[in-house]
Amino acid sequence: MFRLVSHPTRRVVYGSHSNFLRKGLLLGHSFSTDQASTAEDLNDSDPKAAASSKAPVRSKDAALKPNEVVRELDRHIVGQNEAKKAVAIALRNRWRRRKLPEHHRKEITPRNVLMIGPTGCGKTEIARRMANLDDSPFLKVEATKFTEVGYHGRDVDSIIRDLMDISFQLTKKIHMERVRSVAIERTESKILDILAGPSTPAVVTEDEDDDGESVPESKNVKSLQDIKSNTRAKFSGLFKAGLLDDQEIVVEVPAEYLDKSGNNPGQVFAMGNLDSSNVSPNMTSAVMNLFSGKGGKENKKRKKMKISDAKVLLEEIETDILLENVDLKAEALQRAEESGIVFLDEIDKICSAKDAYRSGADASAEGVQRDLLPLVEGTVINTKYGNVKTDYILFIGSGAFHQCKPADMLPELQGRLPIRVELSALTEENLYQILTEPEANLVVQQKQLVGTEGVELVVEEGALREIARVAALLNKTVENIGARRLHTVMERIMEEISYDCAEMEEGSQVKVSKEMVEERLKDFIKNPDLSRYIL
């Protein structure tokens, strides 16, 4: 007779004799306790090798060419070709610099850009879209948020600290994508082990029956393994199809992954110069268990949960295990130094006209400009990830400069923003193009919103032209807020339609004609009190 005894890594069949074990048989395969483990165990022992062998690595030569960057920006932004070209060249120059030898690379610094143009012409949108085109750490900040060092408020050094946070998260995300396929495979294997038992073969020994006669059971054991394999394959098919998501299983996971109180498991590293930003939960758990007197044993808990929830939790655990040997902090620091981009919006708000009356020192104006000088020129900022050199970080300034001129900035700061690009104000034709050309224009957005109610929205050509005309007129007569004016006009037209479409029958159609636009905006144009609609 045979007895099946569970083992953490395999099932072993024990009996009164061990002929099969002495012969080293493992269902037809040679077996030795001193041999190397299976491929899965090899992956466990070297997560880094497993990640690199199964996941594609993003090529550094995949940088977009300038004309490709401009084409991508054209999909979302109308006009402003000069600004798009300047940004595209700046991005490509980052890639070109990385291809140079070290002794040439350190001599080449980025050419910072200053974009000048009225509000609502696309300055911020260019920067926002640009951030999605490259795997570079990108930070957009408002210059008005900062104060001079020594005054209450945020100092400009926090810009680099925030950039490093973004760089670390970006680096971690890239590595998580690389090991994602391995983590998914391991997660599936663990859940199938819970449902159908471990997949590793059994070690077979010979036993005697009740009469004392030897009974060869190799065929029966092999048949048992075949049944088990078929069962596991069926469970695997159901699992991949999502048919088991609502079933509940009991999983054993480290305690810190189940902590719903919001406490940071890495607080133990807050002492001295250590910090928890690059400490994996597994390492955190081990150190915390040492302090709690558990001798370094991992504190695990058993929890009953749905398979859909267990997939997410186990995948997170496996990802952390695979990334334990990756120095995310060092890579993130290098990424921020070599590829970081900082977009300084509203930079005109921290400078004032030279002939303007000044009642005293302004802690959020010229003082901030003086603090920005070393940052843009190149200095070293201390962060929790290490010291960051800002010499090769690209800075892009942006401002409307309505009440002052770029020449009113400190001369030293002007010199550190050598490339100037002027963006033109939007015309009526530009506003019409904004309504029709971008992939996610305002008309498409409104059609999709109304379409969720089962109602079709049709906007006629004449209506689009009238909307653009009214928006351009209001920009001229009231206040020029650029493309943001289209939001105001469109919402006024769609107000009643958005209110009534929930009560309409499914399949209904609503047409927006030129006459409807004129009727809805008649009082809007004639009424001099437009403060309610001005953004």
Side-chain angles (χ1 to χ4, degrees):
M1 301 296 291
F2 292 87
R3 293 181 293 110
L4 249 67
V5 181
S6 296
H7 187 274
T9 59
R10 58 184 178 273
R11 285 195 173 186
V12 183
V13 183
Y14 292 98
S16 59
H17 299 287
S18 56
N19 294 338
F20 282 89
L21 184 60
R22 285 194 299 269
K23 292 178 181 179
L25 297 180
L26 180 61
L27 295 180
H29 300 283
S30 60
F31 175 81
S32 172
T33 55
D34 295 329
Q35 278 184 321
S37 55
T38 61
E40 182 178 353
D41 294 329
L42 286 175
N43 286 346
D44 289 336
S45 63
D46 190 1
K48 208 170 181 180
S52 61
S53 63
K54 293 196 175 185
V57 180
R58 180 183 174 88
S59 173
K60 291 185 179 180
D61 295 331
L64 292 173
K65 298 177 182 178
N67 61 339
E68 294 173 338
V69 173
V70 172
R71 278 202 302 269
E72 287 295 320
L73 294 176
D74 284 340
R75 294 171 52 200
H76 307 284
I77 303 166
V78 172
Q80 316 301 0
N81 291 326
E82 293 300 320
K84 293 175 183 175
K85 287 182 181 179
V87 166
I89 293 171
L91 282 179
R92 187 65 178 182
N93 280 339
R94 312 305 300 280
W95 175 85
R96 291 166 179 163
R97 179 183 171 275
R98 289 197 296 266
K99 306 291 286 184
L100 294 175
E102 179 65 27
H103 62 281
H104 288 311
R105 189 188 313 164
K106 64 182 181 181
E107 299 296 334
I108 298 178
T109 57
R111 306 296 183 261
N112 300 318
V113 181
L114 177 62
M115 293 195 293
I116 305 168
T119 182
C121 68
K123 301 185 299 296
T124 306
E125 187 68 12
I126 288 175
R128 190 170 70 89
R129 297 292 179 181
M130 180 184 69
N132 298 327
L133 299 180
D134 193 22
D135 282 340
S136 299
F138 180 91
L139 175 66
K140 175 186 174 295
V141 294
E142 306 287 336
T144 53
K145 289 184 177 179
F146 305 99
T147 58
E148 186 178 357
V149 174
Y151 290 86
H152 178 72
R154 298 184 64 191
D155 59 84
V156 296
D157 289 356
S158 61
I159 294 175
I160 305 303
R161 299 188 185 100
D162 293 342
L163 181 67
M164 271 304 306
D165 288 336
I166 293 173
S167 180
F168 182 83
Q169 295 300 325
L170 176 62
T171 303
K172 185 176 181 180
K173 180 181 177 182
I174 291 174
H175 280 280
M176 287 175 66
E177 289 298 323
R178 291 177 179 175
V179 302
R180 179 176 173 80
S181 60
V182 182
I184 291 176
E185 289 179 10
R186 293 189 181 186
T187 299
E188 180 182 351
S189 178
K190 281 194 172 184
I191 293 178
L192 292 179
D193 286 348
I194 297 173
L195 294 173
S199 59
T200 51
V203 177
V204 184
T205 62
E206 189 178 20
D207 204 349
E208 297 179 354
D209 61 7
D210 296 337
D211 298 329
E213 295 181 1
S214 177
V215 181
E217 291 287 346
S218 59
K219 292 184 179 179
N220 294 336
V221 173
K222 187 172 183 180
S223 176
L224 179 63
Q225 287 297 116
D226 292 339
I227 295 174
K228 183 179 176 181
S229 299
N230 293 335
T231 303
R232 189 179 181 89
K234 290 180 180 179
F235 272 117
S236 179
L238 295 172
F239 175 82
K240 291 177 179 179
L243 301 178
L244 301 177
D245 286 352
D246 292 333
Q247 301 298 319
E248 290 188 339
I249 58 175
V250 177
V251 294
E252 192 176 61
V253 296
E256 64 269 13
Y257 287 95
L258 301 176
D259 184 14
K260 302 298 183 181
S261 63
N263 295 329
N264 181 12
Q267 285 178 348
V268 68
F269 296 102
M271 298 178 294
N273 294 325
L274 295 173
D275 101 276
S276 60
S277 59
N278 198 26
V279 179
S280 71
N282 296 299
M283 186 185 301
T284 303
S285 177
V287 176
M288 292 180 69
N289 290 331
L290 280 173
F291 280 104
S292 61
K294 297 181 180 179
K297 295 182 179 179
E298 191 173 8
N299 182 20
K300 288 189 175 183
K301 292 184 179 179
R302 295 172 61 86
K303 184 174 178 63
K304 189 175 184 180
M305 61 177 65
K306 291 184 178 180
I307 290 181
S308 57
D309 298 328
K311 281 194 294 188
V312 177
L313 183 59
L314 292 176
E315 186 177 332
E316 179 186 353
I317 296 172
E318 293 300 325
T319 301
D320 289 336
I321 293 174
L322 289 167
L323 296 182
E324 274 184 346
N325 296 332
V326 180
D327 193 351
L328 296 176
K329 184 184 295 187
E331 186 175 335
L333 193 144
Q334 182 182 9
R335 187 184 296 271
E337 289 183 342
E338 299 292 329
S339 305
I341 302 173
V342 175
F343 185 80
L344 293 168
D345 204 4
E346 308 293 350
I347 198 171
D348 59 313
K349 305 300 187 296
I350 60 172
C351 66
S352 53
K354 294 180 179 179
D355 55 351
Y357 172 75
R358 301 180 186 179
S359 58
D362 190 349
S364 60
E366 283 194 10
V368 178
Q369 292 187 55
R370 286 191 294 269
D371 291 342
L372 280 173
L373 290 179
L375 206 66
V376 178
E377 184 179 29
T379 187
V380 177
I381 303 297
N382 184 25
T383 70
K384 63 183 180 181
Y385 304 94
N387 292 331
V388 181
K389 294 177 63 177
T390 66
D391 300 64
Y392 306 109
I393 295 176
L394 176 65
F395 289 88
I396 301 176
S398 169
F401 290 96
H402 287 311
Q403 300 178 356
C404 61
K405 304 184 295 294
D408 294 327
M409 298 171 61
L410 293 179
E412 295 85 356
L413 187 58
Q414 293 182 48
R416 288 165 176 79
L417 298 169
I419 301 177
R420 295 189 183 183
V421 181
E422 293 193 13
L423 287 80
S424 57
L426 299 177
T427 63
E428 180 180 332
E429 182 62 25
N430 292 143
L431 294 173
Y432 171 76
Q433 291 174 331
I434 292 173
L435 284 173
T436 56
E437 292 183 5
E439 294 182 357
N441 57 64
L442 287 177
V443 177
V444 171
Q445 294 176 24
Q446 292 294 341
K447 287 182 178 180
Q448 292 175 342
L449 289 173
V450 175
T452 59
E453 304 282 358
V455 178
E456 181 184 2
L457 178 67
V458 178
V459 183
E460 297 179 352
E461 177 71 15
L464 293 174
R465 291 287 180 182
E466 182 65 16
I467 293 172
R469 187 191 69 83
V470 172
L473 177 63
L474 293 174
N475 278 342
K476 289 180 181 178
T477 57
V478 183
E479 183 70 32
N480 186 6
I481 58 174
R484 296 184 180 93
R485 181 69 66 184
L486 291 173
H487 290 273
T488 305
V489 176
M490 184 63 74
E491 287 302 321
R492 180 62 183 263
I493 296 170
M494 292 296 302
E495 186 176 7
E496 291 186 17
I497 297 175
S498 298
Y499 185 83
D500 296 333
C501 67
E503 308 297 332
M504 296 181 182
E505 295 182 1
E506 190 170 349
S508 302
Q509 187 182 79
V510 178
K511 286 188 177 181
V512 178
S513 61
K514 180 180 179 181
E515 291 74 18
M516 178 188 290
V517 174
E518 292 174 344
E519 178 66 25
R520 298 279 171 86
L521 300 179
K522 179 175 59 178
D523 297 334
F524 183 42
I525 298 175
K526 291 182 180 179
N527 185 3
D529 183 13
L530 301 173
S531 59
R532 175 186 173 188
Y533 305 101
I534 296 176
L535 300 180

